[in-house]
Amino acid sequence: MKHAAILMSAQISISRWIKQPSSSSSPRLMQNKKTVHQEMKTQQFLCINSQSISAIALTMSLLLHSLSLASGTSALHPIILIPGAGGNQLEARLTTKYRSTNPICELTALTKRGNWFRLWFDPSVLLAPFTRCFAERMELTYLPTIDDFRNAPGVETRIPLFGSTQSLLYLDPHLKHFTEYMGPLVSALESAGYVDGRNLFGAPYDFRYGLAPSGHPSMVGDQYLRDLGELIESSVAANDGRSVILVAHSLGGLFALHLLDRSPLSWRRQFIKHLVTLSTPWAGTVQEMLTFASGYTLGVPLVDPLIVRGEQRSAESNLWLLPARRVFDEMPLVFANNRSYSAKEMEEFLKDIGFEKGVYPYETRIRPMVDRAVEIEGVPVTCIVGSGVDTPEKLFYGSKGFDKQPEVMFGDGDGTVNMESLLALEKDWSEAGRKNLKVVKLQGITHTSILRTRVAVNKIVEEVGLINSMDFSSQLGS
């Protein structure tokens, strides 16, 4: 009873804090470059004003953990973390079928052939001679004869440590400071009582691949959904039947949504407690059009974007992340060659940038998935998104064409995903009359800092605590 009283007190405190109006100003569109100083001030302001809420949330999670220990069982719902594109390690092995026209790539292959090595993330990608080797080994090929994507000839890949969070913490364990990904979030969840391999799991995947609509094969993507489904079921079985909380970042949110959409309602109700998405691009991003047109290096100065452009174009998942017409409609997004391109003219855009072979898989495999709104019954969803960060909204190409980086006009979003896309699920579901969706906006939080900034991580833990507390409230009241 003592534990119960403390727990209920914490829940009441949180409810009072949540009802307080937000003091953050509405985001505004800006055409100039980011002002780092202003963003830092915004984050500092948020940290100060959210400390009390976060402290209560963390305390509640710890109280939940204490209560579970007192009862002799783990009372927390298990969590499965699903990373975004590039958010987990990827290993490769070269076979005798591997060939390269680049002498350096052929030479390095001699030491790698037959042995597994880390393909992503490998710091050698930052060195120009090895960037090309990385790009050709990462490249996918669409094969019309089988209507599916495959690795480059002679390249085998695998995902290490499926089921564990270990491959999500850092992209390279030897460069933890520079390649940290979900490390801070996992640490915060562990402080709240979660244990890797017991009630906390990771579901890494080959993020180059995507999914396909009904009637089209997707060997890698479909296998991942099967593996994820089995991980969910085994996690529930290992935690006395408590259903799973899925926490998915970016592209991982799309995989999670489609898994639920393709599963029976009875399965969802039995195995899924809640879906929490972080920075998920429900309708693609304008940034992806820049990637296809000119290549994108995430701001790394030593890498030539044209070297990695071909590999980026080949990724099935990147086609999935192009702006969807159901949200961006006829809004002009790219200006080049005395014309403009909207989301409704994506096929023409792909042709004009010199990637005509991407048109057919885009039309047949991608559009049937992104042109419709995906609705799922039986699973509540919480979307946590960043806002108020300069995000590419329109791209302007000059006389030198798509081989040069464009001038960029910025709008609102999280620095990578446009606000229209971040809120697309809310728009889709509100029009359909769905009410089991909650949206949380974090001013000044970027696409990746949502996983490591204290105010964002604490907010995620707070939401997890609230989801867990729902069961405890009913138990205490009975």
Side-chain angles (χ1 to χ4, degrees):
M1 292 299 296
K2 181 179 180 181
H3 287 293
I6 297 175
L7 176 60
M8 292 300 294
S9 176
Q11 288 177 278
I12 293 171
S13 299
I14 287 181
S15 299
R16 290 173 178 170
W17 278 103
I18 291 176
K19 290 178 182 179
Q20 290 188 359
S22 172
S23 60
S24 59
S25 59
S26 61
R28 56 189 178 89
L29 300 183
M30 295 173 284
Q31 298 184 13
N32 58 310
K33 293 183 177 180
K34 298 178 184 177
T35 305
V36 177
H37 179 64
Q38 291 178 341
E39 185 174 335
M40 291 177 62
K41 288 179 66 178
T42 302
Q43 292 185 6
Q44 290 172 355
F45 175 81
L46 281 168
C47 285
I48 294 172
N49 284 271
S50 64
Q51 281 179 349
S52 297
I53 299 176
S54 301
I56 294 174
L58 289 169
T59 300
M60 190 187 76
S61 296
L62 291 171
L63 285 170
L64 291 172
H65 182 47
S66 298
L67 185 58
S68 68
L69 291 177
S71 63
T73 62
S74 174
L76 298 173
H77 282 270
I79 288 178
I80 295 179
L81 299 176
I82 307 174
N88 58 259
Q89 299 168 33
L90 177 65
E91 295 181 346
R93 179 170 62 184
L94 305 181
T95 72
T96 55
K97 294 182 180 180
Y98 174 78
R99 293 290 183 272
S100 176
T101 58
N102 186 298
I104 294 179
C105 299
E106 276 292 321
L107 183 62
T108 58
L110 295 177
T111 60
K112 296 179 180 296
R113 187 171 281 117
N115 300 311
W116 290 102
F117 62 94
R118 186 178 299 106
L119 180 60
W120 178 261
F121 173 76
D122 181 357
S124 68
V125 69
L126 303 178
L127 303 177
F130 301 106
T131 304
R132 197 175 304 277
C133 304
F134 161 80
E136 69 176 31
R137 293 165 187 170
M138 283 282 287
E139 192 166 334
L140 297 183
T141 300
Y142 174 72
L143 301 175
T145 54
I146 62 172
D147 185 26
D148 206 352
F149 288 79
R150 291 292 186 270
N151 286 348
V155 179
E156 298 177 350
T157 51
R158 70 178 184 184
I159 306 301
L161 302 170
F162 183 82
S164 170
T165 63
Q166 292 305 302
S167 73
L168 314 182
L169 304 179
Y170 317 96
L171 302 183
D172 186 337
H174 304 296
L175 297 171
K176 294 182 178 181
H177 179 71
F178 297 102
T179 65
E180 186 175 62
Y181 182 60
M182 282 192 173
L185 175 58
V186 170
S187 294
L189 290 171
E190 289 175 340
S191 296
Y194 281 92
V195 179
D196 184 38
R198 181 184 301 171
N199 55 9
L200 180 60
F201 307 91
Y205 57 98
D206 193 331
F207 45 82
R208 301 170 302 162
Y209 289 88
L211 295 172
S214 177
H216 294 267
S218 178
M219 184 182 75
V220 176
D222 287 347
Q223 183 60 53
Y224 174 67
L225 293 190
R226 286 192 292 270
D227 293 341
L228 179 56
E230 291 174 3
L231 178 62
I232 289 170
E233 293 178 7
S234 64
S235 301
V236 171
N239 285 271
D240 298 325
R242 277 179 291 278
S243 51
V244 163
I245 302 172
L246 297 176
V247 179
H249 179 235
S250 192
L251 177 63
L254 295 179
F255 275 98
L257 187 70
H258 279 269
L259 169 69
L260 300 180
D261 182 52
R262 301 176 188 199
S263 302
L265 176 60
S266 58
W267 186 90
R268 297 196 297 264
R269 286 177 170 168
Q270 179 180 356
F271 293 105
I272 307 298
K273 173 69 174 177
H274 206 102
L275 170 61
V276 179
T277 65
L278 316 172
S279 307
T280 292
W282 302 112
T285 77
V286 175
Q287 175 72 62
E288 205 62 42
M289 296 184 78
L290 188 157
T291 299
F292 272 84
S294 312
Y296 183 53
T297 65
L298 301 174
V300 179
L302 300 177
V303 177
D304 182 353
L306 297 182
I307 293 179
V308 297
R309 181 175 62 179
E311 172 268 319
Q312 292 172 333
R313 288 177 174 180
S314 77
E316 182 183 19
S317 58
N318 282 343
L319 281 174
W320 197 3
L321 296 176
L322 286 167
R325 60 183 64 196
R326 83 173 194 279
V327 171
F328 290 90
D329 198 35
E330 297 181 350
M331 181 190 308
L333 305 175
V334 175
F335 298 82
N337 304 321
N338 298 316
R339 64 158 297 176
S340 63
Y341 300 88
S342 70
K344 284 192 171 183
E345 300 163 311
M346 198 59 67
E347 291 88 346
E348 295 176 54
F349 170 75
L350 293 174
K351 290 179 183 177
D352 289 349
I353 64 173
F355 189 53
E356 189 168 357
K357 64 181 180 181
V359 173
Y360 181 76
Y362 177 77
E363 288 180 333
T364 60
R365 297 170 64 88
I366 304 301
R367 277 197 53 195
M369 291 195 300
V370 302
D371 283 355
R372 73 178 183 94
V374 177
E375 299 176 28
I376 52 172
E377 296 182 28
V379 178
V381 179
T382 297
C383 300
I384 305 178
V385 304
S387 66
V389 182
D390 284 359
T391 305
E393 185 175 80
K394 298 182 186 298
L395 311 176
F396 299 88
Y397 285 91
S399 58
K400 294 184 179 180
F402 296 110
D403 287 349
K404 296 294 182 181
Q405 294 292 305
E407 293 293 324
V408 179
M409 188 177 86
F410 295 95
D412 192 15
D414 65 8
T416 299
V417 183
N418 309 90
M419 189 55 62
E420 294 90 340
S421 182
L422 290 169
L423 301 181
L425 196 68
E426 181 182 39
K427 179 176 180 293
D428 292 338
W429 287 18
S430 62
E431 292 176 351
R434 300 290 301 280
K435 297 181 180 180
N436 59 342
L437 174 67
K438 175 181 180 181
V439 176
V440 178
K441 295 182 183 178
L442 300 177
Q443 180 78 3
I445 298 299
T446 68
H447 190 70
T448 54
S449 70
I450 199 169
L451 298 173
R452 57 177 180 269
T453 303
R454 185 175 63 176
V455 63
V457 170
N458 286 352
K459 184 62 181 177
I460 297 168
V461 174
E462 175 190 337
E463 292 298 322
V464 168
L466 289 172
I467 294 166
N468 273 297
S469 71
M470 294 175 188
D471 284 351
F472 283 97
S473 297
S474 60
Q475 291 173 16
L476 293 170
S478 60

